[in-house]
Amino acid sequence: MHEYSIVASLVDRVQREVDTRPGAVVRKLHVRIGELAGVELELLRTAFVTFRERSVCDGAELEIESVPASWRCSRCDRVIEPGAVLRCPICGRAAKLATGDDIILERIEMEVRDV
Amino acid sequence: MCEDCGCGDPELVPIDVHEHILADNGARAAHLREHFVEAHVLAINLMGSPGAGKTAVLEQTAKAFAGKRRLGAVSGDLATDRDARRLEAAGITARAITTGSACHLDARMLHDALHHMTWRDFDTFFIENVGNLVCPAIYDLGQAANVVALSVTEGEDKPLKYPVMFRNADLVLLTKIDLLPHLDVDVAAIRDGLSRVMPDPRMIAVSGKTGQGIGEWLAWLESRRTP
């Protein structure tokens, strides 16, 4: 259940942005989570709904972009199919994870008052 | 929204952040790693399910090193300092980190614990993480290597079921192999599973009870040491 601690870090990070823009109201967070990041999306949503109350994210929406895992040969860049042995069938090198380990806060949408 | 008339209507603005959500933990871990490297302390993050035999392996490790290495450890558990006391009895200078409800250690908890230890005196420092095959994998602690203890009683499919933990492992210790004669477990199937989740699968079979395989484990530890 480390999703709660991830949300706590997320809210802290958003707070830092709001601190520099007095009166700003957070409307939406865009995050990107990889399939092999070890983050359960439903738990993350639940944790966010629980945590956002009485925080700077109160009432804000969480939009999650889920990124599938993909592996490639670390030398010839050939795609290694999901579930296959993680070694290039051509050149024998170990595969490397090309996508799917992100735990990224991409963007915050906030309302700011015109001055 | 309203940019011209001065009515003060709110305007929706996007703020690009593009940062790892655990960046703070990452920065603390980098700080710890710098200290470990500079003091020539080999830091090992030992993870695995509850009951995988992490503490037993460390007890055997201390016995096999027989005082030739200065060993230190922290031991993370939700409650009690039982593991730390077992490690102390085995000759490892150890401190418990009681996490309460947290399912993993993070860099801040480790940093706080190190303030109470003379960690620079160790040449090998084991971070025995909270027993859990999921959460500890994503928190960098400044370690030189991740080691996952997987016991033969846990079933052959664990690597495929918990790919995140095994993907991040530099080594898997297959533990409790003294039990193999009593079990219907196919070690080849475990190796095959690891090869599908670990890009560079390395496994050493050990027994915390008989000491089998511990020599190979010690040799692996020595190979990770920076000169």
Side-chain angles (χ1 to χ4, degrees):
Chain A
M1 286 294 280
H2 55 296
E3 284 76 8
Y4 279 84
S5 97
I6 289 174
V7 166
S9 300
L10 179 64
V11 171
D12 282 350
R13 185 65 188 80
V14 174
Q15 178 73 56
R16 292 218 295 270
E17 290 298 329
V18 170
D19 285 346
T20 64
R21 296 169 182 82
V25 179
V26 179
R27 288 296 177 214
K28 200 177 197 177
L29 307 181
H30 296 258
V31 300
R32 203 170 73 223
I33 307 290
E35 184 186 348
L36 281 181
V39 179
E40 180 53 52
L41 301 188
E42 275 315 306
L43 284 176
L44 188 68
R45 287 191 185 97
T46 307
F48 182 72
V49 168
T50 311
F51 250 104
R52 69 181 173 191
E53 283 178 38
R54 290 184 297 280
S55 88
V56 72
C57 294
D58 202 353
E61 224 182 296
L62 179 67
E63 191 171 290
I64 303 174
E65 181 196 346
S66 169
V67 182
S70 67
W71 294 87
R72 286 177 177 272
C73 171
S74 55
R75 186 160 74 182
C76 71
D77 214 35
R78 184 191 171 89
V79 172
I80 313 289
E81 294 303 319
V85 170
L86 296 177
R87 188 157 288 281
C88 179
I90 307 299
C91 68
R93 283 292 181 93
K96 66 173 191 310
L97 191 68
T99 61
D101 65 346
D102 329 56
I103 307 178
I104 303 286
L105 170 60
E106 283 288 5
R107 202 164 63 252
I108 308 167
E109 283 177 28
M110 47 175 95
E111 267 178 26
V112 291
R113 294 261 159 207
D114 283 346
V115 277
Chain B
M1 200 178 283
C2 180
E3 291 175 352
D4 306 314
C5 75
C7 66
D9 266 2
E11 187 186 358
L12 204 59
V13 292
I15 314 289
D16 283 323
V17 180
H18 197 73
E19 262 180 34
H20 199 289
I21 295 173
L22 300 176
D24 284 355
N25 185 75
R28 283 189 206 103
H31 168 78
L32 288 170
R33 182 167 288 115
E34 218 169 275
H35 280 316
F36 285 138
V37 169
E38 158 259 323
H40 299 284
V41 177
L42 177 68
I44 300 291
N45 183 12
L46 179 59
M47 298 175 280
S49 307
K54 296 183 289 299
T55 312
V57 163
L58 293 183
E59 287 171 327
Q60 279 290 346
T61 305
K63 194 172 154 193
F65 269 127
K68 288 195 287 289
R69 286 288 182 195
R70 297 182 308 272
L71 308 178
V74 287
S75 182
D77 266 308
L78 270 63
T80 83
D81 62 352
R82 294 174 69 101
D83 285 358
R85 280 192 281 137
R86 274 177 62 186
L87 296 178
E88 283 277 350
I92 303 177
T93 306
R95 186 177 175 87
I97 301 179
T98 310
T99 61
S101 59
C103 49
H104 58 271
L105 295 178
D106 64 27
R108 184 200 299 268
M109 296 178 207
L110 179 59
H111 190 258
D112 290 350
L114 288 176
H115 276 171
H116 300 279
M117 302 182 84
T118 53
W119 61 272
R120 284 174 188 275
D121 296 345
F122 308 133
D123 48 30
T124 312
F125 184 68
F126 296 104
I127 305 156
E128 186 185 337
N129 219 310
V130 179
N132 183 325
L133 267 188
V134 184
C135 317
I138 69 167
Y139 289 84
D140 188 2
L141 301 175
Q143 71 277 4
N146 282 327
V147 176
V148 179
L150 170 68
S151 61
V152 291
T153 52
E154 287 174 64
E156 296 147 2
D157 52 1
K158 282 294 172 296
L160 296 175
K161 283 182 171 172
Y162 296 88
V164 178
M165 174 58 75
F166 291 95
R167 175 177 80 82
N168 288 308
D170 297 291
L171 176 73
V172 172
L173 287 176
L174 185 67
T175 60
K176 308 189 187 181
I177 53 164
D178 52 287
L179 293 177
L180 278 176
H182 311 286
L183 302 168
D184 195 15
V185 176
D186 182 4
V187 174
I190 297 176
R191 282 191 190 279
D192 179 72
L194 290 174
S195 73
R196 293 167 198 278
V197 292
M198 270 173 94
D200 187 15
R202 283 167 202 268
M203 185 178 95
I204 298 175
V206 298
S207 166
K209 196 172 174 68
T210 67
Q212 192 184 340
I214 295 293
E216 199 185 336
W217 154 237
L218 260 53
W220 183 87
L221 283 172
E222 293 305 311
S223 75
R224 299 296 303 209
R225 212 174 283 285
T226 48

